[in-house]
Amino acid sequence: SDLGPPPPPPQQHSPDHSSCSAAPSAAAMATAAATPRHGGLPEEIVIWEILVRLPQKSLLRCRAVCRAWRSATSARDFLAAHHDRQPNLPIVFQVYRGGQSLLALDNRGAAAPQLQPVARLDDHSSLEASCDGLLLLADYGRGVSTFSVCNPATRQFARLPMLSGFVSLGMYRHGPTGEYRILVCPVVPCSDGLFAGMFEMDGILGMACSNDEGKIIGIWMMQDYESEVWTLKYRFELPFEEIKMQCDMRQVRVKRGDMLIVVVPGGDGELLVLSRFDDVLFQINMDGKLVESFHREGLCLTQLQLKQTLALHTFLPALEGYVVNAPPFS
């Protein structure tokens, strides 16, 4: 199922080895040069060294400062550079009466991990996939599966054509055409858990598996797609005893299935192991060491990540039921 092309690609520039991930266009530089300085800094430095590093909400507020900032930060090359700097955060959700809240787990700071609101879903909807800041949602409440796509950063939402009798396996950007596509399969051959434990990092497919007792975790990466060669990259034992101590359950025998474990790419090029047990979320490194933990009732893990983007996808307004600042955003 084709969703359509992404926003036009940023303009091509000569290689730039500075800290910015994309070089400013001539138009953006001209706009910056023509505007007054703020705090004694050249406008080009303000835009390409400061504004480009801000989170989405802060950047949107800065657009109200002056027309020049709004114009420069709305350019394609700036949006591409800003998106490149955004963290790829694991998505979790918290169930409440009548629905669930989607949250992004930010564990980059020295303090306890922070949960950032993303969207609110009703009890018939579920998160199916994510790609380039887009989320694929499914609604199974009317006897048939209906799908929709949204951008949490721009708060755009639209429904997709009916896909009756199919379930989604993921969403991806098709390289040759640049279109966003949904991978689906018929409900009847489909098996629950068939793709559980799979993830993608830096364009490489990975898979996490455990032994029969659920204590030993193996991380496999596909090194050769043509020959389907998988390589064992990590192997470690989960810190069960330390986890039980933190949950004050020293005498409880933790069995396979008691703990929910997912593996997602971290923000520093390493893998991040998240485990949930007794309403406590644990972060474990690749050596099997417990790094961080915090309590949050009803918090559930997903295998998905969100790297937000302020780019306006042109295919969204053309879809049925296109809205902005409406459910699932609150």
Side-chain angles (χ1 to χ4, degrees):
S1 176
D2 295 352
L3 297 182
Q11 301 177 9
Q12 299 297 318
H13 306 284
S14 58
D16 182 4
H17 300 288
S18 65
S19 59
C20 290
S21 54
S25 65
M29 293 181 64
T31 300
T35 55
R37 300 187 178 199
H38 294 267
L41 293 175
E43 201 71 9
E44 181 181 348
I45 298 298
V46 173
I47 292 174
W48 289 98
E49 294 294 337
I50 298 178
L51 298 184
V52 76
R53 303 173 188 272
L54 295 179
Q56 287 83 5
K57 290 185 178 180
S58 299
L59 179 60
L60 291 175
R61 295 189 188 101
C62 288
R63 285 182 173 179
V65 172
C66 60
R67 291 182 179 179
W69 280 17
R70 182 178 183 85
S71 175
T73 59
S74 300
R76 292 196 306 266
D77 49 359
F78 178 89
L79 292 176
H82 183 261
H83 175 63
D84 288 342
R85 292 183 178 275
Q86 298 309 299
N88 206 19
L89 302 179
I91 301 176
V92 299
F93 64 93
Q94 189 170 25
V95 179
Y96 61 92
R97 186 174 182 179
Q100 55 186 292
S101 296
L102 297 183
L103 306 163
L105 177 66
D106 190 348
N107 66 322
R108 295 172 296 164
Q114 301 296 313
L115 294 174
Q116 303 176 0
V118 175
R120 293 172 67 93
L121 308 180
D122 59 32
D123 54 3
H124 298 302
S125 302
S126 66
L127 174 64
E128 298 290 308
S130 65
C131 179
D132 287 352
L134 297 174
L135 299 181
L136 177 67
L137 308 176
D139 187 341
Y140 299 105
R142 301 177 180 83
V144 294
S145 56
T146 58
F147 294 92
S148 56
V149 63
C150 70
N151 183 342
T154 60
R155 302 174 72 85
Q156 296 173 287
F157 173 89
R159 300 196 180 278
L160 300 177
M162 187 73 69
L163 292 174
S164 180
F166 290 88
V167 296
S168 67
L169 301 179
M171 180 167 60
Y172 64 99
R173 181 177 177 179
H174 186 242
T177 63
E179 297 175 336
Y180 288 100
R181 297 185 174 184
I182 302 172
L183 183 64
V184 299
C185 73
V187 175
V188 180
C190 184
S191 170
D192 288 340
L194 181 62
F195 292 91
M198 303 193 75
F199 58 90
E200 181 268 336
M201 184 176 74
D202 298 331
I204 300 178
L205 187 63
M207 179 174 59
C209 57
S210 63
N211 63 348
D212 292 337
E213 295 181 352
K215 294 184 177 181
I216 306 297
I217 302 296
I219 309 295
W220 296 79
M221 306 297 292
M222 180 176 279
Q223 300 299 325
D224 189 332
Y225 280 82
E226 293 184 0
S227 303
E228 298 185 356
V229 175
W230 292 80
T231 301
L232 180 64
K233 188 171 184 179
Y234 300 101
R235 186 178 184 273
F236 57 91
E237 183 174 353
L238 292 175
F240 274 101
E241 295 305 319
E242 190 173 357
I243 288 175
K244 288 195 297 183
M245 289 180 63
Q246 290 211 18
C247 296
D248 197 20
M249 302 180 69
R250 297 174 180 83
Q251 305 303 320
V252 177
R253 180 183 179 186
V254 180
K255 305 181 298 296
R256 179 182 175 91
D258 288 343
M259 295 179 60
L260 178 61
I261 302 169
V262 300
V263 178
V264 296
D268 54 359
E270 294 294 328
L271 292 173
L272 177 66
V273 179
L274 298 175
S275 178
R276 182 179 63 85
F277 180 69
D278 192 34
D279 281 334
V280 181
L281 187 66
F282 299 94
Q283 178 183 338
I284 304 166
N285 64 17
M286 292 296 106
D287 296 324
K289 303 296 183 181
L290 186 59
V291 177
E292 187 62 75
S293 66
F294 72 102
H295 182 273
R296 189 69 177 260
E297 186 176 353
L299 193 66
C300 302
L301 303 177
T302 76
Q303 201 75 44
L304 304 174
Q305 305 92 51
L306 177 64
K307 185 174 183 177
Q308 298 205 46
T309 177
L310 289 172
L312 295 175
H313 294 273
T314 56
F315 69 86
L316 281 172
L319 295 174
E320 178 184 358
Y322 171 74
V323 292
V324 179
N325 290 327
F329 306 108
S330 60

